[in-house]
Amino acid sequence: MAGSSLMETLFQRTLDDLIKALRLQLLGESAFISKAMDEIRREIKSTDPQTKSTALQKLSYLSSLHGIDMNWAAFHVVEVMSASRFAQKKIGYLAASQSFHEATPVLLLITNQLRKDLTSTNEFEVSLALDCLSRIATIDLARDLTPEIFTLLSSTKPFVRKKAISVVLRVFGKFPDAVRVCFKRLVENLDSSDPRILSAVVGVFCELTSQDPRSYLPLAPEFYRILADSKNNWVLIKVLKIFKNLAPLEPRLARKIVEPITEHMRRTDAKSLMFECIRTVVTSLSDFESAVKLAVERTREFLVDDDPNLKYLGLHALSILVPKHSWAVLENKEVVIKSLSDVDPNVKLESLRLVMAMVYDNNVAEICRVLVNIAIKSDPEFCNEILGSILATCGENVYEIVIDFDWYVSLLGEMSRIPHCQKGEEIETQLIDIGMRVKDARPTLVMVGRDLLIDPALLGNPFMHRILSAAAWVSGEYVQFSGKPFELLEALLQPRCNLLPPSVRAVYVQSAFKVSVFCLNSYVQEQYVESSLYVDTSTENDSESISTRDCQDASNLREQVETLSRVQTCTSASLEDNGSSIGSIVELLDFIQFSLGPLTWSHDVELLERSRHLLNFIELIRQQIPDGSSEMELAEISKIVELVLDAFSDDFGPISVNAQERVTIPEGLIFKENLDDLEMLCSDTQLPESSFSFGSSLYEERVNSSILSQRSQQESEPSNATTSLLSEHRKRHGLYYLPSDKTDDASNDYPPANELKLQDHLDDDAAHLVKLTERSLALKRKSTSAKPRPVVVRLDEGDELPVTRKKPQSKDEQLSDAVRNVLVGSDVMPISSQTNQSSKPSSRRKGKEKQNADNLSESKENLGDVEEQSNTVDTSSRRTHRRHGKEGKQSSHEKRSEKKDQVHKKGKRMSSQQHSRHKAKQSGDASLPVASQTVIPDFLL
């Protein structure tokens, strides 16, 4: 066996050989890797440690570079980890760190090996174990190895202690109860003079305070000492991050640290430390005006620097200052505006956020104009960032900052035509939403929609379809505000509409239906008005007894004539006026039928159905028009038109975002977690074999009553068969059906989401760009607009964000409770526990453990206001001493007459009271289970 192992080692290919051979493989790399894996699988089973470790080293390389799965070699990794030679052990630990995870079954086998290496005298072996534990530590490993970590936290070797401190963060996260063992020793390392140890422990506390800073407030004196005395920039940066989280919790702490932080800003030349000082000031010390002014001066140095990274940091600091100190942005507005044209994309985005933070209702129009001009000249990505920022800011809180909706609707139309625009979904949503919420903006909406619909060049752009869909819907829904309905109808039915997807074209057809009904109603009403005026005029010549009301009716009719006459005067060249209403109606019907004829061959169900509706309506109107073109048939046409017009008369309103959540679940309706069994349930249901097709002859034949009846008879048979199958399926599987008394009113009137991109060029005049921007960014008082703001429909509950539910306690919260328990409540016991202690001598330790568990759950509720606690520390301590003294005298006086066996209990109670008085000096009020060490009076007073 020894000879075979020696031969395997001699002829085994090393990692260097594998890498060289892999680099020479120009073709067939996968085949070479497959062959190498076969060799590794054979070599890793060897009994020779060197052969096994070399095979594992090659497997680790292939796994990291080519993603080869190495979970199958987990047991071999454990074998190499237990090798006696350090070089082989190192390979095993590297493989474990790389491949082991919480679900690895062999993790239980390495606990003793890790414990052995953690207690080794070789600091390099200890380092290997600590590195591996920091990556693969689980709850079990953290619990079992906490005593060894506790011992290493006080190691005399700085190299080992530094790594042990870093591992503590992972151990605390996996096993929060380790805080009771290791936390105090971790705090003791804050007093270390070794810069490596101090750097490690400050880094750990920086991460811990970012999760729950209130728990670490009692450690503020230690952090302040490091802030004032340390000369290590990295340590100072971490301490500043800690104070950035602690300062908002204690006002006196902010007053204490502002001086050393400003001193660091004045003296340091390190940009990293200076920026951290600036961020701490603008984030947590913004109430100190002198410190803020100094921070703004230092920020100016970042803004004018050529390094884009420093410029970005300066803009980020200004963005934090905007809510409370907007003057800082005004002092640097030139730099901010120039940054919008910077080469670095991050600098441009940060400057854009800074500009949008300065938008108010009195300057929104000017700033948006400047940004649109910049977007036209920008690259596609930044152009869409600008457009998205404008849409998000103006649409925030139901268009709160928008006063002139006519301007904003026009701006949406202008933004739609910007090249590279890809915000079609947002523009479509806002066009429709404004139409439903703001009635005064509907005329402008129809005008903007008409301008978009009549441009045939936009139809060929696939990224414009979402906006065209919204424009078509708005134009059809609010067609009464259109001055040229015939032109609008031509735009909706133009031949180039075949470039649109079926979903968008279906919206076009539905809007054409609404416009055509409006036009027909206008023709009919015009004829009635003219005939009524004629009758009124002849009656006035024959009779002198006209009432005042009749005169008013006549004047109203004349106004209607003037209003309705625009229908014929606005007729385009393709629809010439025939001089009579019947002739105009016939010409309108012919135009619609000619335009919708090809749609009868469409394979899209929704498009086909909507076009059929309009064509059937046209056929119904044609049946009322005889060849003689008599005016007597206008009454029948009027009835049909009015019936259809009433169906479109109701306005759509905004829908609450919480509407679906307010729908109650029907009683008895139970859904499973998934519907995987539906295929099995539906397998026994077979639909009858039938073909459904949409032929072209449906439109060519006249739609009369005989054809309709014949079609209904043909379709009744499959319908009845399908209905019977569905009813049978409902009986079998009623679990998946809603109650029968509910009806589904779901609609799908709008097309799916599409991206946008325009091709039209927009003229740009940027001569006054800088002057306009400076005037726009100047803060003004809220001025009264000459034009009153229109009414915006708001829902009482629908426009609010949904309320988030309370989440269960996470591991971070458990860790915070444990730290708070150790710092402020580990040795303090409530009165109830003090008066009910056991008579056994060993009960003291058990009582402490029980009190620790109680404080862990009650610490959050008992944490009071820090200032109130600090003001009552002295008085509560004196009261506690007097109360315990009185209790001691009374109890001793009462127990004198008791039996002899109760003397021992009295002695234990007296010792308990002495213990409580000792703790009262530290805790303040003994009635609270949490001590008053959450404040730091000696440090701040």
Side-chain angles (χ1 to χ4, degrees):
M1 293 296 293
S4 61
S5 300
L6 180 60
M7 294 298 295
E8 290 177 356
T9 304
L10 291 175
F11 292 98
Q12 184 183 20
R13 184 160 48 181
T14 63
L15 178 61
D16 293 339
D17 298 334
L18 177 67
I19 295 175
K20 293 177 181 178
L22 187 61
R23 290 177 178 178
L24 294 176
Q25 298 297 323
L26 300 178
L27 297 175
E29 182 178 291
S30 59
F32 176 80
I33 294 177
S34 178
K35 183 179 179 181
M37 285 297 300
D38 294 337
E39 294 179 359
I40 291 173
R41 290 179 183 273
R42 184 179 66 256
E43 294 169 354
I44 206 170
K45 298 178 182 179
S46 174
T47 58
D48 181 54
Q50 183 61 35
T51 304
K52 185 183 291 290
S53 60
T54 304
L56 183 61
Q57 186 180 25
K58 294 188 291 184
L59 179 60
S60 301
Y61 173 79
L62 292 178
S63 176
S64 61
L65 190 63
H66 298 278
I68 302 298
D69 182 24
M70 58 180 299
N71 291 325
W72 58 271
F75 187 78
H76 301 291
V77 172
V78 177
E79 291 179 329
V80 178
M81 287 175 62
S82 60
S84 58
R85 295 182 58 186
F86 178 78
Q88 299 171 0
K89 185 186 294 289
K90 182 178 180 181
I91 296 173
Y93 272 106
L94 174 62
S97 302
Q98 182 176 336
S99 62
F100 282 9
H101 49 83
E102 294 188 356
T104 302
V106 298
L107 275 178
L108 297 177
L109 302 177
I110 68 172
T111 304
N112 291 330
Q113 181 63 41
L114 287 172
R115 182 181 289 111
K116 176 183 177 182
D117 291 334
L118 288 175
T119 57
S120 174
T121 56
N122 187 347
E123 61 179 2
F124 298 105
E125 291 183 355
V126 177
S127 175
L128 285 178
L130 290 173
D131 288 339
C132 182
L133 187 62
S134 65
R135 290 174 173 84
I136 67 171
T138 60
I139 298 176
D140 295 333
L141 288 176
R143 182 186 63 248
D144 297 337
L145 299 177
T146 294
E148 284 72 22
I149 301 298
F150 172 77
T151 304
L152 294 176
L153 288 176
S154 59
S155 174
T156 56
K157 301 176 181 179
F159 177 73
V160 174
R161 195 196 301 187
K162 179 187 68 172
K163 292 201 172 187
I165 291 172
S166 303
V167 172
V168 163
L169 187 62
R170 171 86 178 194
V171 173
F172 283 178
K174 291 295 181 179
F175 183 60
D177 287 344
V179 172
R180 304 176 186 273
V181 180
C182 302
F183 192 80
K184 289 186 177 180
R185 185 159 290 184
L186 182 67
V187 174
E188 293 173 358
N189 284 282
L190 289 172
D191 298 329
S192 175
S193 59
D194 192 294
R196 295 173 294 177
I197 297 176
L198 184 62
S199 177
V201 70
V202 169
V204 170
F205 278 110
C206 181
E207 294 296 328
L208 291 174
T209 53
S210 64
Q211 300 171 5
D212 182 23
R214 184 175 294 277
S215 301
Y216 306 92
L217 190 59
L219 298 177
E222 301 293 334
F223 298 140
Y224 178 81
R225 179 184 56 79
I226 297 174
L227 177 66
D229 299 340
S230 179
K231 303 301 180 183
N232 189 325
N233 288 342
W234 194 93
V235 173
L236 289 175
I237 289 173
K238 293 296 182 180
V239 172
L240 288 171
K241 290 179 180 291
I242 294 174
F243 279 119
K244 180 173 66 71
N245 298 322
L246 297 181
L249 305 177
E250 176 55 76
R252 297 175 300 170
L253 180 61
R255 291 194 296 269
K256 188 72 176 178
I257 65 174
V258 65
E259 185 60 32
I261 291 178
T262 54
E263 190 66 23
H264 282 303
M265 275 196 295
R266 293 189 185 97
R267 294 185 177 182
T268 185
D269 294 330
K271 296 293 184 180
S272 57
L273 178 59
M274 183 183 296
F275 173 74
E276 200 59 47
C277 293
I278 293 172
R279 183 161 61 176
T280 304
V281 169
V282 301
T283 303
S284 304
L285 306 176
S286 58
D287 295 334
F288 299 89
E289 198 68 26
S290 59
V292 172
K293 290 181 178 179
L294 179 60
V296 173
E297 293 178 4
R298 293 293 181 263
T299 303
R300 178 75 180 183
E301 299 177 5
F302 285 87
L303 294 174
V304 298
D305 199 286
D306 295 334
D307 189 352
N309 297 320
L310 298 179
K311 187 179 294 186
Y312 170 82
L313 294 177
L315 292 171
H316 180 67
L318 286 182
S319 64
I320 302 175
L321 280 170
V322 167
K324 291 186 178 180
H325 303 279
S326 54
W327 55 268
V329 182
L330 293 178
E331 291 183 357
N332 301 279
K333 59 180 180 295
E334 297 87 358
V335 181
V336 173
I337 297 303
K338 291 181 180 179
S339 299
L340 288 173
S341 303
D342 197 90
V343 179
D344 189 88
N346 294 323
V347 172
K348 294 193 294 185
L349 290 177
E350 195 63 31
S351 60
L352 176 62
R353 297 189 189 101
L354 192 58
V355 171
M356 298 311 299
M358 298 297 296
V359 174
Y360 301 97
D361 54 357
N362 57 351
N363 61 5
V364 59
E366 296 180 349
I367 292 181
C368 289
R369 171 56 53 193
V370 172
L371 293 177
V372 168
N373 292 336
I374 296 175
I376 296 173
K377 302 179 295 183
S378 302
D379 57 276
E381 183 178 359
F382 187 59
C383 172
N384 286 279
E385 289 290 343
I386 293 177
L387 300 181
S389 300
I390 295 175
L391 292 170
T393 303
C394 294
E396 186 178 5
N397 198 12
V398 196
Y399 316 102
E400 183 178 18
I401 65 172
V402 178
I403 297 178
D404 188 358
F405 278 91
D406 293 338
W407 159 80
Y408 186 59
V409 171
S410 301
L411 179 66
L412 291 177
E414 185 178 351
M415 291 167 59
S416 303
R417 295 178 176 273
I418 293 179
H420 313 302
C421 175
Q422 297 180 6
K423 296 296 178 180
E425 184 177 356
E426 292 85 349
I427 295 176
E428 177 198 28
T429 301
Q430 292 196 7
L431 285 174
I432 296 175
D433 190 55
I434 291 174
M436 293 188 294
R437 292 182 185 271
V438 188
K439 293 183 178 180
D440 295 344
R442 291 174 181 176
T444 308
L445 273 171
V446 175
M447 182 185 65
V448 171
R450 174 251 178 199
D451 294 339
L452 294 173
L453 293 174
I454 64 175
D455 191 351
L458 303 180
L459 297 172
N461 189 346
F463 302 103
M464 188 67 186
H465 293 160
R466 289 295 296 267
I467 299 178
L468 293 177
S469 175
W473 186 89
V474 168
S475 301
E477 185 66 23
Y478 311 115
V479 64
Q480 64 271 21
F481 299 105
S482 176
K484 299 179 179 180
F486 272 120
E487 188 179 38
L488 192 60
L489 186 62
E490 281 187 322
L492 292 170
L493 299 178
Q494 58 181 301
R496 284 182 61 86
C497 288
N498 58 3
L499 300 176
L500 297 172
S503 58
V504 178
R505 199 171 185 188
V507 181
Y508 267 57
V509 174
Q510 185 71 11
S511 298
F513 196 173
K514 298 177 182 179
V515 175
S516 60
V517 172
F518 174 77
C519 293
L520 290 173
N521 183 66
S522 301
Y523 276 127
V524 174
Q525 295 299 327
E526 178 189 1
Q527 186 65 25
Y528 281 155
V529 170
E530 290 178 354
S531 61
S532 299
L533 286 177
Y534 176 76
V535 172
D536 291 341
T537 305
S538 60
T539 305
E540 184 180 0
N541 294 333
D542 297 339
S543 175
E544 297 179 357
S545 60
I546 267 188
S547 63
T548 306
R549 182 176 180 182
D550 294 335
C551 293
Q552 293 176 353
D553 292 341
S555 63
N556 291 337
L557 290 175
R558 289 189 181 92
E559 293 178 359
Q560 293 181 14
V561 170
E562 294 176 358
T563 304
L564 297 173
S565 62
R566 63 186 180 185
V567 176
Q568 287 187 350
T569 57
C570 295
T571 304
S572 59
S574 61
L575 293 175
E576 298 180 355
D577 187 14
N578 284 335
S580 65
S581 296
I582 293 296
S584 300
I585 291 175
V586 171
E587 189 171 346
L588 175 65
L589 301 181
D590 291 340
F591 170 72
I592 296 175
Q593 285 185 331
F594 176 79
S595 301
L596 294 181
L599 296 183
T600 55
W601 288 279
S602 175
H603 296 284
D604 185 77
V605 177
E606 188 173 359
L607 179 58
L608 180 62
E609 181 181 6
R610 297 192 184 192
S611 60
R612 276 182 177 180
H613 290 166
L614 182 51
L615 289 174
N616 291 339
F617 172 73
I618 297 301
E619 290 295 334
L620 192 60
I621 297 297
R622 279 189 178 279
Q623 291 177 5
Q624 307 301 327
I625 302 177
D627 296 336
S629 300
S630 173
E631 300 290 338
M632 299 298 294
E633 281 72 19
L634 284 177
E636 296 296 330
I637 297 176
S638 177
K639 292 180 181 179
I640 299 174
V641 172
E642 287 179 357
L643 288 174
V644 180
L645 192 62
D646 290 341
F648 298 142
S649 60
D650 293 337
D651 289 339
F652 287 97
I655 301 176
S656 169
V657 295
N658 301 327
Q660 186 65 34
E661 297 180 1
R662 292 199 293 266
V663 176
T664 58
I665 300 177
E667 296 182 359
L669 181 64
I670 302 175
F671 288 108
K672 295 185 177 180
E673 294 183 358
N674 55 61
L675 301 179
D676 294 339
D677 56 342
L678 278 184
E679 184 177 356
M680 179 188 67
L681 295 175
C682 297
S683 60
D684 57 346
T685 302
Q686 296 180 358
L687 294 177
E689 295 182 359
S690 60
S691 60
F692 298 92
S693 61
F694 304 103
S696 60
S697 61
L698 294 177
Y699 167 71
E700 296 175 355
E701 298 180 1
R702 291 290 182 177
V703 182
N704 48 35
S705 58
S706 61
I707 296 178
L708 291 175
S709 61
Q710 182 180 0
R711 186 184 306 165
S712 62
Q713 292 177 0
Q714 294 175 354
E715 295 179 353
S716 61
E717 297 179 359
S719 176
N720 295 334
T722 305
T723 304
S724 62
L725 288 174
L726 289 177
S727 60
E728 182 180 356
H729 193 274
R730 179 187 291 271
K731 292 179 181 179
R732 292 185 181 181
H733 314 293
L735 173 66
Y736 299 98
Y737 286 89
L738 291 174
S740 58
D741 55 346
K742 300 291 183 180
T743 58
D744 296 336
D745 295 328
S747 61
N748 187 18
D749 295 339
Y750 303 104
N754 291 322
E755 296 182 355
L756 290 177
K757 193 173 182 180
L758 288 180
Q759 297 176 350
D760 289 354
H761 177 70
L762 189 66
D763 294 336
D764 180 26
D765 185 10
H768 305 287
L769 180 61
V770 178
K771 184 184 296 184
L772 179 60
T773 306
E774 293 177 355
R775 188 172 69 253
S776 301
L777 287 176
L779 289 176
K780 306 175 184 178
R781 292 184 178 179
K782 192 173 182 179
S783 59
T784 57
S785 177
K787 181 179 179 181
R789 188 174 187 266
V791 178
V792 181
V793 178
R794 275 178 173 267
L795 303 178
D796 295 337
E797 301 178 0
D799 296 324
E800 298 177 359
L801 294 176
V803 180
T804 57
R805 298 180 180 179
K806 187 177 180 181
K807 297 182 179 179
Q809 189 180 33
S810 61
K811 283 190 176 181
D812 293 340
E813 295 174 350
Q814 296 176 7
L815 176 61
S816 301
D817 291 343
V819 171
R820 199 178 299 120
N821 185 30
V822 171
L823 282 176
V824 300
S826 61
D827 298 328
V828 182
M829 193 170 295
I831 294 178
S832 59
S833 63
Q834 294 173 5
T835 57
N836 297 321
Q837 291 188 14
S838 173
S839 60
K840 296 181 180 181
S842 62
S843 63
R844 181 177 180 182
R845 183 175 180 181
K846 295 181 179 178
K848 283 179 128 182
E849 295 177 355
K850 181 178 180 182
Q851 191 271 339
N852 288 342
D854 294 337
N855 284 339
L856 182 62
S857 60
E858 297 177 1
S859 57
K860 282 190 175 181
E861 299 177 358
N862 294 323
L863 280 176
D865 184 81
V866 290
E867 291 190 7
E868 294 180 1
Q869 291 182 8
S870 62
N871 293 333
T872 59
V873 167
D874 298 332
T875 57
S876 61
S877 300
R878 288 192 292 268
R879 292 174 185 172
T880 305
H881 284 295
R882 287 197 294 266
R883 182 169 62 252
H884 286 302
K886 291 180 181 180
E887 290 177 359
K889 292 179 181 180
Q890 292 176 1
S891 61
S892 61
H893 178 71
E894 293 173 358
K895 297 301 178 180
R896 287 193 189 106
S897 60
E898 298 295 332
K899 295 180 180 181
K900 205 170 186 179
D901 55 349
Q902 295 179 350
V903 175
H904 180 64
K905 294 183 178 180
K906 187 187 72 173
K908 288 184 66 63
R909 186 176 294 106
M910 293 297 294
S911 63
S912 174
Q913 291 166 359
Q914 294 175 1
H915 178 71
S916 300
R917 286 195 295 269
H918 175 70
K919 296 300 177 184
K921 296 178 182 180
Q922 301 177 1
S923 61
D925 192 356
S927 62
L928 292 176
V930 179
S932 62
Q933 289 181 359
T934 50
V935 296
I936 36 182
D938 296 336
F939 167 64
L940 296 173
L941 291 178

